[in-house]
PDB file of all heavy atoms in Angstrom:
ATOM      1  N   THR A 218     -12.053   1.422  34.944  1.00  0.00           N
ATOM      2  CA  THR A 218     -10.993   2.095  36.019  1.00  0.00           C
ATOM      3  C   THR A 218     -11.843   3.041  36.922  1.00  0.00           C
ATOM      4  O   THR A 218     -12.906   3.453  36.597  1.00  0.00           O
ATOM      5  CB  THR A 218      -9.929   2.734  35.322  1.00  0.00           C
ATOM      6  OG1 THR A 218     -10.400   3.959  34.624  1.00  0.00           O
ATOM      7  CG2 THR A 218      -9.188   1.823  34.366  1.00  0.00           C
ATOM      8  N   SER A 219     -11.198   3.362  38.029  1.00  0.00           N
ATOM      9  CA  SER A 219     -11.797   4.317  38.878  1.00  0.00           C
ATOM     10  C   SER A 219     -11.994   5.598  38.231  1.00  0.00           C
ATOM     11  O   SER A 219     -12.971   6.329  38.531  1.00  0.00           O
ATOM     12  CB  SER A 219     -10.948   4.424  40.221  1.00  0.00           C
ATOM     13  OG  SER A 219      -9.653   4.938  39.909  1.00  0.00           O
ATOM     14  N   TYR A 220     -11.068   5.981  37.374  1.00  0.00           N
ATOM     15  CA  TYR A 220     -11.122   7.330  36.684  1.00  0.00           C
ATOM     16  C   TYR A 220     -12.361   7.204  35.728  1.00  0.00           C
ATOM     17  O   TYR A 220     -13.119   8.217  35.625  1.00  0.00           O
ATOM     18  CB  TYR A 220      -9.856   7.461  35.812  1.00  0.00           C
ATOM     19  CG  TYR A 220      -9.979   8.819  35.012  1.00  0.00           C
ATOM     20  CD1 TYR A 220      -9.832   9.994  35.618  1.00  0.00           C
ATOM     21  CD2 TYR A 220     -10.256   8.719  33.632  1.00  0.00           C
ATOM     22  CE1 TYR A 220      -9.980  11.174  34.824  1.00  0.00           C
ATOM     23  CE2 TYR A 220     -10.372   9.923  32.852  1.00  0.00           C
ATOM     24  CZ  TYR A 220     -10.248  11.112  33.531  1.00  0.00           C
ATOM     25  OH  TYR A 220     -10.322  12.339  32.863  1.00  0.00           O
ATOM     26  N   GLN A 221     -12.558   6.056  35.072  1.00  0.00           N
ATOM     27  CA  GLN A 221     -13.761   5.958  34.103  1.00  0.00           C
ATOM     28  C   GLN A 221     -14.993   6.064  34.994  1.00  0.00           C
ATOM     29  O   GLN A 221     -15.976   6.734  34.536  1.00  0.00           O
ATOM     30  CB  GLN A 221     -13.654   4.679  33.366  1.00  0.00           C
ATOM     31  CG  GLN A 221     -12.602   4.611  32.333  1.00  0.00           C
ATOM     32  CD  GLN A 221     -12.365   3.279  31.699  1.00  0.00           C
ATOM     33  OE1 GLN A 221     -12.431   2.256  32.381  1.00  0.00           O
ATOM     34  NE2 GLN A 221     -12.065   3.246  30.415  1.00  0.00           N
ATOM     35  N   LEU A 222     -15.112   5.461  36.037  1.00  0.00           N
ATOM     36  CA  LEU A 222     -16.257   5.487  36.898  1.00  0.00           C
ATOM     37  C   LEU A 222     -16.608   6.911  37.378  1.00  0.00           C
ATOM     38  O   LEU A 222     -17.723   7.406  37.387  1.00  0.00           O
ATOM     39  CB  LEU A 222     -16.202   4.613  38.066  1.00  0.00           C
ATOM     40  CG  LEU A 222     -16.132   3.050  37.769  1.00  0.00           C
ATOM     41  CD1 LEU A 222     -15.844   2.218  39.006  1.00  0.00           C
ATOM     42  CD2 LEU A 222     -17.425   2.575  37.124  1.00  0.00           C
ATOM     43  N   GLU A 223     -15.516   7.578  37.833  1.00  0.00           N
ATOM     44  CA  GLU A 223     -15.703   8.983  38.283  1.00  0.00           C
ATOM     45  C   GLU A 223     -16.172   9.859  37.154  1.00  0.00           C
ATOM     46  O   GLU A 223     -17.007  10.755  37.268  1.00  0.00           O
ATOM     47  CB  GLU A 223     -14.412   9.513  38.857  1.00  0.00           C
ATOM     48  CG  GLU A 223     -14.064   8.967  40.250  1.00  0.00           C
ATOM     49  CD  GLU A 223     -12.827   9.395  40.844  1.00  0.00           C
ATOM     50  OE1 GLU A 223     -12.149  10.452  40.173  1.00  0.00           O
ATOM     51  OE2 GLU A 223     -12.339   8.965  41.803  1.00  0.00           O
ATOM     52  N   SER A 224     -15.531   9.626  36.001  1.00  0.00           N
ATOM     53  CA  SER A 224     -15.945  10.457  34.755  1.00  0.00           C
ATOM     54  C   SER A 224     -17.414  10.139  34.355  1.00  0.00           C
ATOM     55  O   SER A 224     -18.131  11.169  34.199  1.00  0.00           O
ATOM     56  CB  SER A 224     -15.039  10.062  33.609  1.00  0.00           C
ATOM     57  OG  SER A 224     -15.454  10.720  32.444  1.00  0.00           O
ATOM     58  N   THR A 225     -17.853   8.950  34.513  1.00  0.00           N
ATOM     59  CA  THR A 225     -19.293   8.603  34.182  1.00  0.00           C
ATOM     60  C   THR A 225     -20.171   9.339  35.261  1.00  0.00           C
ATOM     61  O   THR A 225     -21.170   9.876  34.892  1.00  0.00           O
ATOM     62  CB  THR A 225     -19.548   7.197  34.193  1.00  0.00           C
ATOM     63  OG1 THR A 225     -18.660   6.592  33.195  1.00  0.00           O
ATOM     64  CG2 THR A 225     -20.980   6.770  33.896  1.00  0.00           C
ATOM     65  N   LEU A 226     -19.689   9.186  36.534  1.00  0.00           N
ATOM     66  CA  LEU A 226     -20.436   9.857  37.554  1.00  0.00           C
ATOM     67  C   LEU A 226     -20.577  11.371  37.303  1.00  0.00           C
ATOM     68  O   LEU A 226     -21.655  11.991  37.580  1.00  0.00           O
ATOM     69  CB  LEU A 226     -19.887   9.559  38.947  1.00  0.00           C
ATOM     70  CG  LEU A 226     -20.605  10.029  40.136  1.00  0.00           C
ATOM     71  CD1 LEU A 226     -22.059   9.454  40.232  1.00  0.00           C
ATOM     72  CD2 LEU A 226     -19.951   9.604  41.405  1.00  0.00           C
ATOM     73  N   ASP A 227     -19.487  12.044  36.971  1.00  0.00           N
ATOM     74  CA  ASP A 227     -19.540  13.379  36.713  1.00  0.00           C
ATOM     75  C   ASP A 227     -20.457  13.741  35.626  1.00  0.00           C
ATOM     76  O   ASP A 227     -21.212  14.776  35.763  1.00  0.00           O
ATOM     77  CB  ASP A 227     -18.094  13.825  36.297  1.00  0.00           C
ATOM     78  CG  ASP A 227     -17.113  13.900  37.394  1.00  0.00           C
ATOM     79  OD1 ASP A 227     -17.523  13.836  38.604  1.00  0.00           O
ATOM     80  OD2 ASP A 227     -15.903  13.987  37.133  1.00  0.00           O
ATOM     81  N   ASP A 228     -20.476  12.994  34.533  1.00  0.00           N
ATOM     82  CA  ASP A 228     -21.331  13.241  33.469  1.00  0.00           C
ATOM     83  C   ASP A 228     -22.868  13.106  33.923  1.00  0.00           C
ATOM     84  O   ASP A 228     -23.655  13.895  33.563  1.00  0.00           O
ATOM     85  CB  ASP A 228     -21.220  12.204  32.333  1.00  0.00           C
ATOM     86  CG  ASP A 228     -19.830  12.422  31.612  1.00  0.00           C
ATOM     87  OD1 ASP A 228     -19.304  13.559  31.782  1.00  0.00           O
ATOM     88  OD2 ASP A 228     -19.372  11.539  30.933  1.00  0.00           O
ATOM     89  N   LEU A 229     -23.178  12.079  34.742  1.00  0.00           N
ATOM     90  CA  LEU A 229     -24.539  11.891  35.252  1.00  0.00           C
ATOM     91  C   LEU A 229     -24.956  13.033  36.163  1.00  0.00           C
ATOM     92  O   LEU A 229     -26.150  13.423  36.164  1.00  0.00           O
ATOM     93  CB  LEU A 229     -24.673  10.541  36.011  1.00  0.00           C
ATOM     94  CG  LEU A 229     -24.512   9.350  34.975  1.00  0.00           C
ATOM     95  CD1 LEU A 229     -24.420   8.049  35.889  1.00  0.00           C
ATOM     96  CD2 LEU A 229     -25.753   9.200  34.111  1.00  0.00           C
TER      97      LEU A 229
END
Side-chain angles (χ1 to χ4, degrees):
T218 64
S219 60
Y220 178 77
Q221 290 170 322
L222 292 173
E223 286 178 9
S224 176
T225 302
L226 185 58
D227 289 345
D228 292 342
L229 291 171

